[in-house]
Amino acid sequence: MRITLGVTGGVAAYKAAELVRRLQQEGFSVQVVMTRGACEFVTPLTFAALSGQKVITELFGDSSGGEANLESAIEHIAVAQRTDLLLIAPATADIIAKFARGIADDFLTTLYLASTAPVVVAPAMNVNMWNHAATQENVEMLRARGVKIIEPAEGYLACGMTGPGRLAGQEDILAAVHEVFKAQRDLEGETILVSAGPTCEDLDPVRYISNRSSGKMGYAVAEAAARRGAKVVLISGPVNMETPAGVERIDVRSAEEMHRAVAERFPAASIAILAAAVADYRPVERRGEKIRKANAPLTISLEPTTDILAEVAKNKGRKIVVGFAAETDHVAENARKKLSSKNADLIVANDVTAEGAGFDQYTNVVTLFSRDGRDLALPKLPKSEVAQRILDEILRLRTLLYAPAAARHSNV
Ligand code: CTP
């Protein structure tokens, strides 16, 4: 588990040094990121020596004369991708305000926006700054976004005043980190099969029939599931995407190849989320040589492919099977029809013509149609967040459908 510890500029910055040791003792690997303010209180060298890793202090390389280079300019993305939890301790009023408003003017604030990992914030500041309406409003904004705030402790503050403002104790911070990790690992023990991307149906060695799927939605689901502790097998059509950390990826090209791969890995899965945009038709004939141009209309005969979802869901037993429906009209009606005709438990439907939805977008607007009759319309959300909601809905549905009656009463 990799924690990125953001240290910001307050007297309590020295306490973060001990925190690095405690986190390491508990088995976490710690990457420290310091703001400029933090460097005024403690030297980066202290944290580098304790964490055994280079400490990141600037967005564009070392401003004290060092060369800004491309590597450092995109490092926040690399760090974001390898962060399992972002912990800010101590957090100043300034960093809380920047996080709340999405200001990204240094490494830590940029990392916060680029990361999809859970965030834990341990504030430390003067009591009046903490109680100020602006700070409290910013804290509420972060809470509403799912950020875990560790309330500052009461006591004597460095400024000479007493009241809430002291950095919470190490034990409280560690407990919060463990709690967040545990809540985030609710898919441990599950094997989740995800399909993503388009399929390509070759006409000849240079031409093919495909569609506009980018794979973003399926990859977001695979990434979120792996983060939550599942073993994830991602069967992917041709896409331009990086394999999410900890995910086993199997590349396929055609619907037929995808069918074979899904059928082979389906039996070992407890959940299957088939987000791929599989071609419904393929050319009857695949020519060995390039089709030559002739001065006459060309007719290509197509034949249906196997409906992979419908095929594997026939004998799904207690597995939860999820399908996607990209629609341009009558969304609810078509989605419900697919739910029953494909024997799925959940259909994630989107109107691909809606603003912020559909192919090659980072956001999506979907409704989740469940086997138990519930329709959950989600607002426009980043695909990473849509992925989390899909996984939440799968767990809800499984408890409802298959958990013993006692669990059912407490969960509905
Ligand atoms: N799907 C599949 N195999 C296919 C076609 C689709 O497994 N050959 C799956 C997709 O992965 C998706 C779901 O079925 O999860 C819905 O696909 P879609 O193409 O929207 O539905 P169709 O049944 O093809 O209906 P239509 O094209 O008429 O909308």
Side-chain angles (χ1 to χ4, degrees), residues 141-155:
M141 280 175 79
L142 293 184
R143 269 207 190 100
R145 234 176 260 162
V147 171
K148 169 99 186 153
I149 306 285
I150 311 175
E151 292 280 330
E154 299 231 3

Side-chain angles (χ1 to χ4, degrees), residues 195 255 258 273-281 305-311 322-327 334 338 341-342 347:
S195 76
M258 185 169 279
I273 305 169
L274 302 183
V278 186
D280 288 330
Y281 293 93
T305 57
T306 308
D307 188 320
I308 305 170
L309 173 56
E311 189 61 30
V322 180
F324 281 64
E327 304 292 344
N334 287 329
K338 283 176 190 175
S341 70
K342 294 178 187 245
I347 290 284

Side-chain angles (χ1 to χ4, degrees), residues 112-349:
Y112 168 73
L113 289 187
S115 167
T116 55
V119 182
V120 176
V121 169
M125 65 194 74
N126 162 277
V127 56
N128 290 344
M129 289 174 78
W130 172 249
N131 285 333
H132 197 285
T135 304
Q136 287 303 314
E137 200 174 290
N138 291 331
V139 165
E140 275 323 304
M141 280 175 79
L142 293 184
R143 269 207 190 100
R145 234 176 260 162
V147 171
K148 169 99 186 153
I149 306 285
I150 311 175
E151 292 280 330
E154 299 231 3
Y156 179 76
L157 304 174
C159 54
M161 297 174 75
T162 47
R166 289 169 67 91
L167 181 68
Q170 308 270 335
E171 297 308 325
D172 290 341
I173 297 176
L174 289 169
V177 165
H178 281 297
E179 188 193 314
V180 169
F181 264 126
K182 203 161 156 247
Q184 298 288 321
R185 308 278 303 169
D186 57 355
L187 291 174
E188 226 143 51
E190 306 287 346
T191 299
I192 303 190
L193 182 65
V194 180
S195 76
T199 64
C200 294
E201 310 302 326
D202 292 332
L203 285 160
D204 69 16
V206 292
R207 303 184 182 95
Y208 58 87
I209 298 173
S210 191
N211 60 66
R212 292 176 53 201
S213 168
S214 62
K216 286 194 176 79
M217 194 59 246
Y219 273 62
V221 169
E223 181 176 355
R227 279 235 163 115
R228 285 167 71 159
K231 176 177 183 300
V232 180
V233 179
L234 172 62
I235 297 174
S236 174
V239 292
N240 187 16
M241 299 278 299
E242 288 218 7
T243 310
V247 167
E248 178 190 353
R249 169 169 163 183
I250 300 168
D251 285 320
V252 296
R253 182 168 172 81
S254 63
E256 197 184 340
E257 279 176 34
M258 185 169 279
H259 181 207
R260 249 182 288 155
V262 170
E264 192 186 318
R265 305 304 290 261
F266 185 76
S270 50
I271 296 166
I273 305 169
L274 302 183
V278 186
D280 288 330
Y281 293 93
R282 66 164 165 249
V284 172
E285 181 191 8
R286 189 197 160 195
R287 303 274 188 90
E289 320 78 46
K290 197 174 155 194
I291 302 168
R292 295 288 162 193
K293 171 171 63 195
N295 202 10
L298 173 68
T299 304
I300 295 166
S301 293
L302 302 175
E303 62 187 2
T305 57
T306 308
D307 188 320
I308 305 170
L309 173 56
E311 189 61 30
V312 296
K314 265 191 213 156
N315 303 308
K316 68 184 180 65
R318 291 186 156 211
K319 297 183 204 305
I320 297 287
V321 176
V322 180
F324 281 64
E327 304 292 344
T328 53
D329 56 283
H330 300 91
V331 178
E333 196 184 320
N334 287 329
R336 287 245 157 248
K337 226 186 268 168
K338 283 176 190 175
L339 193 64
S340 66
S341 70
K342 294 178 187 245
N343 194 31
D345 297 296
L346 182 68
I347 290 284
V348 181

Side-chain angles (χ1 to χ4, degrees), residues 5-23 32 34 38 41-43 46-47 50 87-91 122-125 152-158 163 165-171 173-174:
L5 173 63
V7 183
T8 67
V11 183
Y14 76 94
K15 294 183 181 169
E18 180 58 21
L19 193 56
V20 171
R21 290 169 61 100
R22 291 293 308 274
L23 289 167
V32 178
M34 298 176 74
F41 287 91
V42 189
T43 70
T46 306
F47 287 103
L50 286 170
L87 169 64
I88 314 298
M125 65 194 74
E154 299 231 3
Y156 179 76
L157 304 174
R166 289 169 67 91
L167 181 68
Q170 308 270 335
E171 297 308 325
I173 297 176
L174 289 169

